[in-house]
Amino acid sequence: MTRPVALLFSNPVGGGVQRVMMNLGAGIAALGIPVDLVVARVPGDVPPLPPGTRLVNLAARRTVNVLPGLVRYLRESRPRALLSAGERLNVLAVLARAAARSDARLVVAIHIALRAQFANAADPRTWLLRRVVPAAYRRADAVVSVSRAAAAEAAEVLRMPPERVRAIYNPVVTPELFRHAAGPAAHPWLADDRTVPVLLGMGRLAPQKDFATLIRAFARVRALRPARLLILGEGEERDALRALADGLGVGADVDLAGFTNDPYPSLARADAFVLSSAWEGLPTVLIEALALGVPVVSTDCPTGPAEILRGGERGALVPPADSVALADAILRALDAPHDRVRPDLPEFSPDHVVHQYLRVLGVEADA
């Protein structure tokens, strides 16, 4: 029996990292290589799994509780390679491989700008990660980061030679993206006969995404023209963001619509997508918006947007945390004629990305 390739990530539903790992698993399995999707937990219903993949639920209540189940999985299933994503899971993958005495080739993937991720020294978890992550990552067989800028930064933060951190873009532009985008939009603001343009933001309601700056920018836009702002996502900042919108007098035109497993019909119908993040790695949703032909405006945050947008050729880039510049860029995007042409984005296609990962995982010869 052929030994599988294992992908370790938090859960099979949710944000950009989860979608990327599911896409990567589908792409590897499509080449006839068995794939185990090893997840810390499954919150709610399990989505349809790609053919050739198996879901392994470690059923951990907290991330740290992944370790015993992961050790057991490595001993029993004996994957030939393990790719993990997320700093805490990456550290646990290193520990589990050693404890299981597994011969799996281990690749850890960095999906965020590490310097910003480690900046909050007051958080005990961040303090611990800053000390544990560099030592753990040096024990992996390879380290991958999702953009060139993120890879360069990671090598510096981890104190590793630059050639030890390889940049591989995410497999984002898939047939499933376009199939889902063709579905009906669930939100009434996005009706085909609408007369008011709708801006879309998407992501966890957390400081990293800086939706506060987006709402302040939207208030400036709204003072000059009719518009609405739809934000898809959940998180700890919901109440503060709602209070901010109400306080700026735009509460009726801002909907914090919550998390959805299928945001693509809404994304495809938005008049513009806005990324307001303070930091990223390679923002998946920005690539998805481009692929669907949606006008985009983004902060030039570390890291990823400048590479995706080719320094501003594919969409506007503005400084992070600058609501005035963001509002001006949104107004220009809304006023500019746009024919919804979908650009060619081969660098983000599974065909291009999967083979790069297989080479790093050491299984290309079997594909």
Side-chain angles (χ1 to χ4, degrees):
M1 182 176 178
T2 303
R3 295 167 66 186
V5 170
L7 308 185
L8 174 66
F9 53 111
S10 60
N11 65 75
V13 297
V17 175
Q18 291 84 356
R19 297 200 299 277
V20 163
M21 294 296 274
M22 293 292 282
N23 289 346
L24 190 57
I28 294 173
L31 296 174
I33 301 169
V35 174
D36 283 348
L37 303 170
V38 185
V39 298
R41 65 192 66 85
V42 178
D45 296 332
V46 178
L49 298 179
T53 67
R54 176 179 73 129
L55 184 67
V56 179
N57 181 11
L58 300 178
R61 294 182 62 185
R62 300 170 56 203
T63 300
V64 70
N65 300 132
V66 160
L67 187 58
L70 183 56
V71 171
R72 185 167 55 251
Y73 164 79
L74 291 173
R75 287 174 175 166
E76 294 176 355
S77 296
R78 299 182 61 247
R80 53 177 149 170
L82 172 62
L83 171 67
S84 63
E87 272 53 66
R88 291 172 176 82
L89 286 176
N90 288 347
V91 171
L92 293 171
V94 171
L95 296 174
R97 184 177 68 157
R101 297 185 178 179
S102 168
D103 65 352
R105 179 171 172 82
L106 175 59
V107 178
V108 296
I110 301 168
H111 283 260
I112 200 70
L114 278 186
R115 183 170 288 113
Q117 181 82 346
F118 291 170
N120 185 11
D123 185 339
R125 294 171 299 179
T126 300
W127 182 89
L128 182 62
L129 278 176
R130 287 171 60 186
R131 281 146 183 80
V132 171
V133 162
Y137 283 20
R138 292 189 197 103
R139 294 179 178 272
D141 293 300
V143 179
V144 168
S145 193
V146 293
S147 68
R148 292 189 298 272
E153 181 184 281
E156 183 178 337
V157 171
L158 297 171
R159 300 185 296 279
M160 297 175 69
E163 61 271 16
R164 283 272 286 127
V165 185
R166 178 168 177 176
I168 302 179
Y169 287 146
N170 289 331
V172 175
V173 184
T174 66
E176 288 73 19
L177 169 65
F178 300 107
R179 180 172 58 83
H180 281 278
H187 201 284
W189 286 358
L190 294 169
D192 291 338
D193 59 352
R194 67 182 180 273
T195 58
V196 177
V198 178
L199 306 173
L200 184 72
M202 198 162 85
R204 192 163 52 91
L205 307 184
Q208 178 207 341
K209 301 300 183 181
D210 196 11
F211 286 121
T213 291
L214 175 54
I215 291 173
R216 292 188 184 97
F218 174 73
R220 290 179 172 273
V221 171
R222 186 64 187 84
L224 296 174
R225 61 169 300 161
R228 287 169 170 161
L229 172 62
L230 178 62
I231 298 178
L232 303 180
E234 272 301 345
E236 63 270 24
E237 290 199 323
R238 166 176 281 279
D239 291 344
L241 294 172
R242 170 48 59 197
L244 175 62
D246 291 342
L248 292 171
V250 294
D253 291 316
V254 175
D255 190 1
L256 305 178
F259 173 78
T260 173
N261 280 328
D262 190 6
Y264 304 114
S266 298
L267 180 60
R269 287 163 177 77
D271 293 279
F273 172 76
V274 186
L275 185 89
S276 54
S277 298
W279 71 89
E280 286 285 349
L282 189 79
T284 298
V285 67
L286 187 61
I287 303 168
E288 291 167 337
L290 269 184
L292 294 172
V294 180
V296 297
V297 175
S298 175
T299 54
D300 189 9
C301 66
T303 59
E307 289 180 43
I308 295 168
L309 299 182
R310 291 184 175 174
E313 291 179 12
R314 290 172 166 167
L317 287 166
V318 302
D322 188 336
S323 60
V324 176
L326 189 60
D328 289 345
I330 291 170
L331 287 166
R332 289 195 298 272
L334 292 178
D335 290 339
H338 193 79
D339 54 9
R340 297 270 170 162
V341 172
R342 294 175 174 178
D344 189 25
L345 302 169
E347 66 269 38
F348 304 115
S349 71
D351 288 345
H352 183 76
V353 172
V354 165
H355 288 285
Q356 295 183 69
Y357 265 106
L358 288 175
R359 285 192 290 272
V360 174
L361 289 165
V363 295
E364 176 71 5
D366 297 333

